[in-house]
C-alpha cells in the first residue's frame, strides 16, 4: 500500500534504502515507525533519532517527512437504528 501511494504522489519509495555519504546517512529503508519494537517506552525510533541527528549536524540537509496511517481490515458495518422514524 505504501509503495503504491509513494508512486502515485511521485515520492521516493519508502521501502528502499537511503544512502547519502555526504551527510553520513545509510539506512536500509526510508520508512520510520513511531512505535518501533527496538525502541523503549517513550524513546524515539532509532532511525528517526539518526535522521534528527543528521539534520542537526547538517542544516542544509533537506528532509521531507510524510505522516501516514495505515488502517487495514474490513470497513465497519453500518449500525441499524432500533427505532426508524
Amino acid at each position: 500500500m505504501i509503495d503504491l501511494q509513494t508512486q502515485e504522489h511521485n515520492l521516493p519509495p519508502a521501502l528502499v534504502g537511503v544512502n547519502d555519504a555526504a551527510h553520513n546517512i545509510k539506512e536500509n529503508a526510508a520508512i520510520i515507525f513511531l512505535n518501533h519494537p527496538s525502541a523503549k517506552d517513550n524513546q524515539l525510533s532509532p532511525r528517526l533519532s539518526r535522521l534528527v541527528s543528521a539534520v542537526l549536524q547538517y542544516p542544509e540537509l533537506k528532509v521531507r517527512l510524510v505522516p501516514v496511517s495505515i488502517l487495514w481490515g474490513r470497513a465497519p458495518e453500518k449500525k441499524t437504528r432500533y427505532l426508524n422514524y
Side-chain angles (χ1 to χ4, degrees):
M1 182 58 88
I2 269 294
D3 279 340
L4 292 173
Q5 289 301 306
T6 54
Q7 288 174 6
E8 185 177 322
H9 295 282
N10 297 319
L11 295 169
L15 301 176
V16 172
V18 177
N19 295 304
D20 183 346
H23 297 103
N24 199 27
I25 296 173
K26 184 175 172 108
E27 299 292 339
N28 60 358
I31 195 166
I32 297 171
F33 297 95
L34 292 181
N35 298 321
H36 195 276
S38 65
K40 297 176 184 156
D41 297 328
N42 292 329
Q43 180 186 17
L44 286 177
S45 154
R47 187 173 291 145
L48 180 58
S49 184
R50 290 190 297 271
L51 179 62
V52 168
S53 294
V55 169
L56 290 173
Q57 186 176 359
Y58 304 102
E60 75 281 2
L61 185 61
K62 302 288 186 213
V63 175
R64 289 187 288 177
L65 294 177
V66 179
V68 175
S69 293
I70 299 175
L71 306 173
W72 200 267
R74 292 179 18 182
E77 295 180 19
K78 292 183 180 179
K79 293 182 181 179
T80 56
R81 296 173 68 181
Y82 291 107
L83 299 173
N84 291 326
Y85 297 101

